[in-house]
Amino acid sequence: MIRNLRETFANLPPTELDEAGRLLADRRRRIHLVGGRFTDSLARYVSVQLRVLRPDVSHLQDQESNWQDQLLDMGRRDVLVVFDIVQRWLKSSGL
């Protein structure tokens, strides 16, 4: 796991991380967070922490079909943060 984190940050241009930080800190933008089956708890945790720091933070929860209304209400300046992982066993199994 540590190796994966190191590889991720080694391949992530610092400018992209800086821009993500700027977007999340910009109080003129609404922030929406969502996660997948295994990562939604992380999205929920980050949304709670961001709410301490700034207004207009929401966590899209429940089933995907319930997100549609919330997604349609997002504007051009809103920020959507998606937490998800690629499950290698799914790729190799053909599913």
Side-chain angles (χ1 to χ4, degrees):
M1 185 169 161
I2 297 296
R3 183 176 58 107
N4 288 344
L5 288 171
R6 286 187 180 134
E7 286 180 26
T8 296
F9 285 102
N11 293 309
L12 181 67
T15 54
E16 287 187 22
L17 198 54
D18 291 343
E19 182 61 22
R22 275 191 285 280
L23 289 170
L24 293 174
D26 186 347
R27 290 175 174 253
R28 297 170 296 177
R29 297 178 181 274
R30 294 186 306 165
I31 307 295
H32 310 274
L33 297 99
V34 66
R37 178 177 174 194
F38 299 109
T39 56
D40 192 55
S41 58
L42 179 58
R44 185 178 316 112
Y45 176 78
V46 173
S47 72
V48 168
Q49 298 306 314
L50 282 173
R51 279 190 212 117
V52 172
L53 301 172
R54 52 155 299 145
D56 294 325
V57 175
S58 67
H59 171 235
L60 306 181
Q61 52 192 6
D62 301 320
Q63 297 178 354
E64 292 176 28
S65 59
N66 296 335
W67 302 344
Q68 293 172 0
D69 296 350
Q70 296 171 66
L71 292 171
L72 289 172
D73 288 338
M74 289 182 194
R76 293 179 63 180
R77 297 190 46 79
D78 289 359
V79 176
L80 177 61
V81 180
V82 179
F83 292 89
D84 206 1
I85 55 175
V86 176
Q87 297 172 341
R88 294 181 186 191
W89 64 269
L90 281 176
K91 286 183 177 181
S92 63
S93 69
L95 294 176

